[in-house]
Structures are given as C-alpha cells and as structure tokens.
Amino acid sequence: MTAQVDHLVVMAASLDQGVTWCQETLGITPGPGGEHPLMGTHNRLFSIASPAFPHAYFEIIAIQPGVTPTRAPGKHRWFDMDDPLLQSRVVNEGPQLLHFVASVPGVVSAVKALAAQGLDRGAVVAASRQTTAGLLSWRITVRDDGQRLFYGTLPTLIQWGEAGEDPAQAAHPLHAMPASGVTLEALQASHPRPEKLQAAYAAIGLAGVGVSPGTPNLIATLNTPRGRVMLESKGV
C-alpha cells in the first residue's frame, strides 16, 4: 500500500475571509472549488504540486451559510469543523492549517491497516460534488464525531473515484488546476507520541512527511510569490 499527500486543509470562518488571507499570506487568489451538500461546507482550491508532492493541492474550506448537512443527524462534519473552540479560533485569529488528507489506492484496506494499529480512522463515506467538467466522486474516511486524531497530524484517507473504479483512472481535482505559483516544499508533523504516529504512517505506506517528538504541530513549508511561507497548526 502506498499513500501520498493529497491536499492540505485550511479552515476559514468564511470563504471571503479565506480568499483575503490567501492573497495576503501566499500572494495568490485561490481558484474555484465547489460545494459539499453532505457536510454543508464549500471550498476554494489551488495546486501546490511539486516534485516531492506531485499530486498535492490546497483546500480552503468553510461552513456554507444557511446550508444544513444532509449527513445523518448526530454525525459531525469532517475535520472537526463543528468544534466550537475551533470555530471561535478561525473567527478571531483567521484561517488555520488544520490537517492533511492522504490518497490511497484502497481506502478500505488502509482503514483496516490503521485499525490493526488500534486507530479508528472512521467509516468510509461516499461523497461527490459538481464541477464544470462533470461529477467529481470520492470515498473518504469520516468519524461520526468528526475528529481528525493526533491533532490533525494523522491524515484523513481518500480514494478518488467510485467504488470499484480504478483509482489511477479516476478524475482528480488537480487535473483541472493550472500551476498556481505556490508549491509544497515540505510537510512535517510533531507529536508527543511520535513512534505511534510514525507506525501509522508506515501502516498506510505514507512517506515524505517528517515526524518528530514535541508538542502537536503540523508544519507546511511553501514556496510562494511572497517567498517561503511556513504554515503551522500549533496544536489546533
């Protein structure tokens, strides 16, 4: 099994806030995204692909005003987005790097590999959204409580395409994205239990993400029109 970094997740209080932050922090205007009726969220996207992370993109995501998720009652949105403390932080401090998502060729097998490590990554949920090129479909792990785990340093797992579809042939958001001028140079995670996190990465075949002991943090180093920028989750 081989996992690879699929995208970084930055939460904003609104997409307007996220766009302004992106322009001021990274020096670009993010490209279009879409809506996720299942979760009541919407996003803006842009490529951060680089030789080290050839399939990576950047997601700015926010709760969509006035939209009730179609997910079953009592089940939370992905990425801890229903957490009141997190919501307050993005309102008061601005958009936050929360998490990253790793793509896998077999999401069910990857979930089982983490379960063997004693980690419940959550159910595999089918999701989709409309794009100008048609319907984009994927299967993604989402816990009922919406938690990211390990303060966001354990990736959510995604498999692009519908069940039974060859992931190598499935549509991927990056296929429709031009170069943005921003590239991902490095991604590093720190956690008080680095050996547990490293074992989880090994179980899904994730390489290229550094792990070190320390307070919880996810650090993305980006090359941008404004120079090198480091985004940190700082245990959010």
Side-chain angles (χ1 to χ4, degrees), residues 128-139:
S128 63
R129 68 175 177 85
Q130 287 291 340
T131 74
T132 55
L135 188 68
L136 189 64
S137 301
W138 64 94
R139 291 186 294 156

Side-chain angles (χ1 to χ4, degrees), residues 14-228:
S14 69
L15 283 190
D16 285 345
Q17 182 205 51
V19 169
T20 298
W21 169 87
C22 187
Q23 292 168 335
E24 294 176 348
T25 304
L26 304 180
I28 67 162
T29 298
E35 301 176 354
H36 315 113
L38 183 68
M39 296 290 168
T41 58
H42 56 169
N43 64 15
R44 297 283 296 265
L45 310 173
F46 58 92
S47 171
I48 52 172
S50 67
F53 303 95
H55 301 289
Y57 69 96
F58 196 107
E59 176 180 39
I60 299 171
I61 191 167
I63 293 173
Q64 190 170 7
V67 174
T68 300
T70 61
R71 199 174 188 214
K75 294 185 178 181
H76 292 247
R77 291 179 174 90
W78 43 29
F79 312 143
D80 278 317
M81 292 180 70
D82 286 319
D83 183 342
L85 292 178
L86 179 56
Q87 292 176 359
S88 176
R89 182 164 174 174
V90 298
V91 168
N92 295 320
E93 300 180 23
Q96 301 286 319
L97 175 64
L98 295 186
H99 194 34
F100 74 105
V101 176
S103 62
V104 290
V107 67
V108 173
S109 296
V111 167
K112 291 178 179 178
L114 289 181
Q117 299 288 321
L119 299 172
D120 179 7
R121 183 61 281 181
V124 176
V125 176
S128 63
R129 68 175 177 85
Q130 287 291 340
T131 74
T132 55
L135 188 68
L136 189 64
S137 301
W138 64 94
R139 291 186 294 156
I140 189 168
T141 56
V142 188
R143 289 168 56 101
D144 287 351
D145 59 14
Q147 289 187 12
R148 295 162 292 153
L149 303 181
F150 285 80
Y151 290 89
T153 61
L154 180 69
T156 286
L157 305 176
I158 194 168
Q159 180 179 344
W160 291 98
E162 298 179 351
E165 185 177 357
D166 180 358
Q169 303 300 318
H172 187 279
L174 199 63
H175 296 163
M177 294 181 198
S180 68
V182 177
T183 56
L184 179 59
E185 179 180 303
L187 187 62
Q188 298 173 289
S190 62
H191 195 273
R193 295 183 293 160
E195 67 290 338
K196 185 72 172 176
L197 186 60
Q198 187 64 67
Y201 286 4
I204 60 173
L206 178 65
V209 182
V211 178
S212 60
T215 56
N217 199 11
L218 185 65
I219 306 170
T221 304
L222 301 161
N223 289 318
T224 83
R226 297 195 182 281
R228 181 172 293 180

